[in-house]
PDB file of all heavy atoms in Angstrom:
ATOM      1  N   MET A  37     184.719 316.829 218.858  1.00 98.00           N
ATOM      2  CA  MET A  37     184.083 316.640 217.470  1.00 98.00           C
ATOM      3  C   MET A  37     185.072 315.963 216.541  1.00 98.00           C
ATOM      4  O   MET A  37     184.729 315.806 215.377  1.00 98.00           O
ATOM      5  CB  MET A  37     183.777 318.028 216.899  1.00 98.00           C
ATOM      6  CG  MET A  37     182.534 318.814 217.500  1.00 98.00           C
ATOM      7  SD  MET A  37     181.010 317.864 217.246  1.00 98.00           S
ATOM      8  CE  MET A  37     180.946 317.940 215.465  1.00 98.00           C
ATOM      9  N   HIS A  38     186.195 315.559 216.996  1.00 98.00           N
ATOM     10  CA  HIS A  38     187.181 315.113 216.058  1.00 98.00           C
ATOM     11  C   HIS A  38     187.850 313.745 216.334  1.00 98.00           C
ATOM     12  O   HIS A  38     187.972 313.361 217.478  1.00 98.00           O
ATOM     13  CB  HIS A  38     188.284 316.148 215.906  1.00 98.00           C
ATOM     14  CG  HIS A  38     187.908 317.382 215.283  1.00 98.00           C
ATOM     15  ND1 HIS A  38     187.339 318.464 216.027  1.00 98.00           N
ATOM     16  CD2 HIS A  38     187.879 317.845 213.928  1.00 98.00           C
ATOM     17  CE1 HIS A  38     187.022 319.440 215.221  1.00 98.00           C
ATOM     18  NE2 HIS A  38     187.308 319.062 213.934  1.00 98.00           N
ATOM     19  N   PHE A  39     188.188 313.029 215.298  1.00 98.00           N
ATOM     20  CA  PHE A  39     189.182 311.914 215.351  1.00 98.00           C
ATOM     21  C   PHE A  39     190.550 312.365 215.056  1.00 98.00           C
ATOM     22  O   PHE A  39     190.683 313.399 214.318  1.00 98.00           O
ATOM     23  CB  PHE A  39     188.746 310.819 214.368  1.00 98.00           C
ATOM     24  CG  PHE A  39     187.485 310.029 214.689  1.00 98.00           C
ATOM     25  CD1 PHE A  39     186.343 310.176 213.918  1.00 98.00           C
ATOM     26  CD2 PHE A  39     187.468 309.092 215.730  1.00 98.00           C
ATOM     27  CE1 PHE A  39     185.237 309.486 214.227  1.00 98.00           C
ATOM     28  CE2 PHE A  39     186.363 308.382 216.020  1.00 98.00           C
ATOM     29  CZ  PHE A  39     185.199 308.547 215.226  1.00 98.00           C
ATOM     30  N   PHE A  40     191.545 311.661 215.461  1.00 98.00           N
ATOM     31  CA  PHE A  40     192.909 311.919 215.030  1.00 98.00           C
ATOM     32  C   PHE A  40     193.459 310.674 214.275  1.00 98.00           C
ATOM     33  O   PHE A  40     193.126 309.567 214.678  1.00 98.00           O
ATOM     34  CB  PHE A  40     193.803 312.250 216.249  1.00 98.00           C
ATOM     35  CG  PHE A  40     193.245 313.372 217.059  1.00 98.00           C
ATOM     36  CD1 PHE A  40     192.682 313.170 218.300  1.00 98.00           C
ATOM     37  CD2 PHE A  40     193.227 314.654 216.500  1.00 98.00           C
ATOM     38  CE1 PHE A  40     192.151 314.186 219.052  1.00 98.00           C
ATOM     39  CE2 PHE A  40     192.701 315.791 217.250  1.00 98.00           C
ATOM     40  CZ  PHE A  40     192.150 315.529 218.517  1.00 98.00           C
ATOM     41  N   THR A  41     194.202 310.924 213.302  1.00 97.00           N
ATOM     42  CA  THR A  41     194.762 309.807 212.480  1.00 97.00           C
ATOM     43  C   THR A  41     196.233 309.540 212.911  1.00 97.00           C
ATOM     44  O   THR A  41     196.837 310.495 213.513  1.00 97.00           O
ATOM     45  CB  THR A  41     194.768 310.116 210.986  1.00 97.00           C
ATOM     46  OG1 THR A  41     195.641 311.218 210.791  1.00 97.00           O
ATOM     47  CG2 THR A  41     193.338 310.437 210.480  1.00 97.00           C
ATOM     48  N   PRO A  42     196.706 308.317 212.736  1.00 95.00           N
ATOM     49  CA  PRO A  42     198.096 308.045 213.145  1.00 95.00           C
ATOM     50  C   PRO A  42     199.086 309.015 212.435  1.00 95.00           C
ATOM     51  O   PRO A  42     200.139 309.225 213.019  1.00 95.00           O
ATOM     52  CB  PRO A  42     198.345 306.628 212.541  1.00 95.00           C
ATOM     53  CG  PRO A  42     196.995 306.002 212.502  1.00 95.00           C
ATOM     54  CD  PRO A  42     196.052 307.154 212.065  1.00 95.00           C
ATOM     55  N   ASP A  43     198.795 309.589 211.256  1.00 95.00           N
ATOM     56  CA  ASP A  43     199.670 310.576 210.638  1.00 95.00           C
ATOM     57  C   ASP A  43     199.426 312.003 211.094  1.00 95.00           C
ATOM     58  O   ASP A  43     199.864 312.982 210.475  1.00 95.00           O
ATOM     59  CB  ASP A  43     199.667 310.382 209.115  1.00 95.00           C
ATOM     60  CG  ASP A  43     198.318 310.621 208.525  1.00 95.00           C
ATOM     61  OD1 ASP A  43     197.321 310.646 209.311  1.00 95.00           O
ATOM     62  OD2 ASP A  43     198.174 310.829 207.353  1.00 95.00           O
ATOM     63  N   GLY A  44     198.663 312.159 212.160  1.00 96.00           N
ATOM     64  CA  GLY A  44     198.505 313.456 212.837  1.00 96.00           C
ATOM     65  C   GLY A  44     197.419 314.332 212.264  1.00 96.00           C
ATOM     66  O   GLY A  44     197.400 315.516 212.658  1.00 96.00           O
ATOM     67  N   ARG A  45     196.528 313.828 211.467  1.00 98.00           N
ATOM     68  CA  ARG A  45     195.498 314.710 210.911  1.00 98.00           C
ATOM     69  C   ARG A  45     194.250 314.710 211.876  1.00 98.00           C
ATOM     70  O   ARG A  45     194.071 313.788 212.617  1.00 98.00           O
ATOM     71  CB  ARG A  45     195.059 314.203 209.572  1.00 98.00           C
ATOM     72  CG  ARG A  45     196.044 314.532 208.461  1.00 98.00           C
ATOM     73  CD  ARG A  45     195.637 314.061 207.105  1.00 98.00           C
ATOM     74  NE  ARG A  45     195.364 312.619 207.113  1.00 98.00           N
ATOM     75  CZ  ARG A  45     194.227 312.049 206.775  1.00 98.00           C
ATOM     76  NH1 ARG A  45     193.168 312.779 206.465  1.00 98.00           N
ATOM     77  NH2 ARG A  45     194.127 310.663 206.769  1.00 98.00           N
ATOM     78  N   LYS A  46     193.485 315.749 211.808  1.00 98.00           N
ATOM     79  CA  LYS A  46     192.301 315.921 212.621  1.00 98.00           C
ATOM     80  C   LYS A  46     191.114 315.799 211.650  1.00 98.00           C
ATOM     81  O   LYS A  46     190.965 316.555 210.733  1.00 98.00           O
ATOM     82  CB  LYS A  46     192.336 317.345 213.139  1.00 98.00           C
ATOM     83  CG  LYS A  46     191.602 317.555 214.454  1.00 98.00           C
ATOM     84  CD  LYS A  46     191.869 318.979 214.993  1.00 98.00           C
ATOM     85  CE  LYS A  46     190.793 319.424 215.882  1.00 98.00           C
ATOM     86  NZ  LYS A  46     190.960 320.794 216.318  1.00 98.00           N
ATOM     87  N   VAL A  47     190.259 314.790 211.962  1.00 98.00           N
ATOM     88  CA  VAL A  47     189.191 314.429 211.102  1.00 98.00           C
ATOM     89  C   VAL A  47     187.835 314.717 211.750  1.00 98.00           C
ATOM     90  O   VAL A  47     187.656 314.233 212.817  1.00 98.00           O
ATOM     91  CB  VAL A  47     189.270 312.934 210.688  1.00 98.00           C
ATOM     92  CG1 VAL A  47     187.986 312.501 209.906  1.00 98.00           C
ATOM     93  CG2 VAL A  47     190.547 312.641 209.910  1.00 98.00           C
ATOM     94  N   ILE A  48     187.036 315.582 211.220  1.00 99.00           N
ATOM     95  CA  ILE A  48     185.762 315.876 211.893  1.00 99.00           C
ATOM     96  C   ILE A  48     184.787 314.734 211.786  1.00 99.00           C
ATOM     97  O   ILE A  48     184.728 314.031 210.775  1.00 99.00           O
ATOM     98  CB  ILE A  48     185.105 317.263 211.350  1.00 99.00           C
ATOM     99  CG1 ILE A  48     184.004 317.694 212.287  1.00 99.00           C
ATOM    100  CG2 ILE A  48     184.678 317.135 209.937  1.00 99.00           C
ATOM    101  CD1 ILE A  48     183.700 319.165 212.231  1.00 99.00           C
ATOM    102  N   ASP A  49     184.079 314.492 212.957  1.00 99.00           N
ATOM    103  CA  ASP A  49     183.207 313.301 213.076  1.00 99.00           C
ATOM    104  C   ASP A  49     181.816 313.717 212.598  1.00 99.00           C
ATOM    105  O   ASP A  49     181.122 314.359 213.410  1.00 99.00           O
ATOM    106  CB  ASP A  49     183.262 312.818 214.502  1.00 99.00           C
ATOM    107  CG  ASP A  49     182.407 311.541 214.664  1.00 99.00           C
ATOM    108  OD1 ASP A  49     181.687 311.151 213.728  1.00 99.00           O
ATOM    109  OD2 ASP A  49     182.450 310.882 215.741  1.00 99.00           O
ATOM    110  N   GLY A  50     181.439 313.335 211.436  1.00 98.00           N
ATOM    111  CA  GLY A  50     180.118 313.745 210.879  1.00 98.00           C
ATOM    112  C   GLY A  50     179.060 312.743 211.241  1.00 98.00           C
ATOM    113  O   GLY A  50     177.902 312.871 210.873  1.00 98.00           O
ATOM    114  N   SER A  51     179.352 311.623 211.920  1.00 98.00           N
ATOM    115  CA  SER A  51     178.292 310.605 212.246  1.00 98.00           C
ATOM    116  C   SER A  51     178.416 310.108 213.601  1.00 98.00           C
ATOM    117  O   SER A  51     177.892 309.020 213.956  1.00 98.00           O
ATOM    118  CB  SER A  51     178.457 309.520 211.231  1.00 98.00           C
ATOM    119  OG  SER A  51     178.112 309.922 209.896  1.00 98.00           O
ATOM    120  N   SER A  52     179.044 310.871 214.551  1.00 98.00           N
ATOM    121  CA  SER A  52     179.066 310.536 215.951  1.00 98.00           C
ATOM    122  C   SER A  52     179.519 309.089 216.138  1.00 98.00           C
ATOM    123  O   SER A  52     178.904 308.291 216.877  1.00 98.00           O
ATOM    124  CB  SER A  52     177.571 310.617 216.612  1.00 98.00           C
ATOM    125  OG  SER A  52     177.074 311.885 216.397  1.00 98.00           O
ATOM    126  N   GLY A  53     180.705 308.803 215.487  1.00 98.00           N
ATOM    127  CA  GLY A  53     181.146 307.396 215.482  1.00 98.00           C
ATOM    128  C   GLY A  53     180.149 306.611 214.612  1.00 98.00           C
ATOM    129  O   GLY A  53     179.990 306.831 213.493  1.00 98.00           O
ATOM    130  N   LEU A  54     179.394 305.756 215.285  1.00 98.00           N
ATOM    131  CA  LEU A  54     178.272 305.091 214.570  1.00 98.00           C
ATOM    132  C   LEU A  54     176.971 305.527 215.338  1.00 98.00           C
ATOM    133  O   LEU A  54     176.331 304.709 215.957  1.00 98.00           O
ATOM    134  CB  LEU A  54     178.375 303.563 214.595  1.00 98.00           C
ATOM    135  CG  LEU A  54     179.040 302.932 213.370  1.00 98.00           C
ATOM    136  CD1 LEU A  54     179.032 301.371 213.529  1.00 98.00           C
ATOM    137  CD2 LEU A  54     178.347 303.317 212.076  1.00 98.00           C
ATOM    138  N   PHE A  55     176.767 306.793 215.341  1.00 98.00           N
ATOM    139  CA  PHE A  55     175.507 307.402 215.928  1.00 98.00           C
ATOM    140  C   PHE A  55     175.497 307.138 217.488  1.00 98.00           C
ATOM    141  O   PHE A  55     174.414 306.936 218.062  1.00 98.00           O
ATOM    142  CB  PHE A  55     174.207 306.771 215.374  1.00 98.00           C
ATOM    143  CG  PHE A  55     174.307 306.568 213.848  1.00 98.00           C
ATOM    144  CD1 PHE A  55     174.374 305.284 213.313  1.00 98.00           C
ATOM    145  CD2 PHE A  55     174.352 307.668 212.971  1.00 98.00           C
ATOM    146  CE1 PHE A  55     174.435 305.127 211.914  1.00 98.00           C
ATOM    147  CE2 PHE A  55     174.418 307.519 211.653  1.00 98.00           C
ATOM    148  CZ  PHE A  55     174.491 306.170 211.093  1.00 98.00           C
ATOM    149  N   CYS A  56     176.662 307.117 218.069  1.00 98.00           N
ATOM    150  CA  CYS A  56     176.669 306.824 219.507  1.00 98.00           C
ATOM    151  C   CYS A  56     177.329 307.902 220.389  1.00 98.00           C
ATOM    152  O   CYS A  56     177.000 307.978 221.534  1.00 98.00           O
ATOM    153  CB  CYS A  56     177.286 305.488 219.817  1.00 98.00           C
ATOM    154  SG  CYS A  56     178.815 305.071 218.953  1.00 98.00           S
ATOM    155  N   VAL A  57     178.237 308.643 219.797  1.00 98.00           N
ATOM    156  CA  VAL A  57     179.034 309.526 220.680  1.00 98.00           C
ATOM    157  C   VAL A  57     178.296 310.919 220.718  1.00 98.00           C
ATOM    158  O   VAL A  57     178.705 311.902 220.189  1.00 98.00           O
ATOM    159  CB  VAL A  57     180.430 309.691 220.047  1.00 98.00           C
ATOM    160  CG1 VAL A  57     181.362 310.539 220.977  1.00 98.00           C
ATOM    161  CG2 VAL A  57     181.050 308.345 219.822  1.00 98.00           C
ATOM    162  N   ASN A  58     177.178 310.871 221.388  1.00 98.00           N
ATOM    163  CA  ASN A  58     176.289 312.080 221.345  1.00 98.00           C
ATOM    164  C   ASN A  58     176.855 313.295 222.043  1.00 98.00           C
ATOM    165  O   ASN A  58     176.577 314.421 221.645  1.00 98.00           O
ATOM    166  CB  ASN A  58     174.888 311.691 221.981  1.00 98.00           C
ATOM    167  CG  ASN A  58     174.106 310.675 221.079  1.00 98.00           C
ATOM    168  OD1 ASN A  58     174.562 310.396 220.015  1.00 98.00           O
ATOM    169  ND2 ASN A  58     173.015 310.289 221.583  1.00 98.00           N
ATOM    170  N   ALA A  59     177.658 313.094 223.078  1.00 98.00           N
ATOM    171  CA  ALA A  59     178.216 314.239 223.820  1.00 98.00           C
ATOM    172  C   ALA A  59     179.627 314.536 223.302  1.00 98.00           C
ATOM    173  O   ALA A  59     180.351 315.276 223.990  1.00 98.00           O
ATOM    174  CB  ALA A  59     178.189 313.965 225.307  1.00 98.00           C
ATOM    175  N   GLY A  60     180.026 313.969 222.214  1.00 98.00           N
ATOM    176  CA  GLY A  60     181.351 314.206 221.720  1.00 98.00           C
ATOM    177  C   GLY A  60     182.275 313.170 222.360  1.00 98.00           C
ATOM    178  O   GLY A  60     182.051 312.565 223.333  1.00 98.00           O
ATOM    179  N   HIS A  61     183.502 313.194 221.753  1.00 98.00           N
ATOM    180  CA  HIS A  61     184.506 312.112 222.146  1.00 98.00           C
ATOM    181  C   HIS A  61     185.293 312.495 223.432  1.00 98.00           C
ATOM    182  O   HIS A  61     185.534 313.719 223.678  1.00 98.00           O
ATOM    183  CB  HIS A  61     185.527 311.928 220.997  1.00 98.00           C
ATOM    184  CG  HIS A  61     184.948 311.269 219.753  1.00 98.00           C
ATOM    185  ND1 HIS A  61     184.886 309.911 219.634  1.00 98.00           N
ATOM    186  CD2 HIS A  61     184.345 311.788 218.644  1.00 98.00           C
ATOM    187  CE1 HIS A  61     184.270 309.616 218.427  1.00 98.00           C
ATOM    188  NE2 HIS A  61     184.067 310.769 217.853  1.00 98.00           N
TER     189      HIS A  61
END
Side-chain angles (χ1 to χ4, degrees):
M37 287 294 299
H38 293 88
F39 286 111
F40 305 108
T41 64
D43 59 346
R45 288 179 301 120
K46 204 170 160 187
V47 171
I48 193 157
D49 182 353
S51 295
S52 309
L54 266 183
F55 320 111
C56 46
V57 186
N58 291 355
H61 292 272

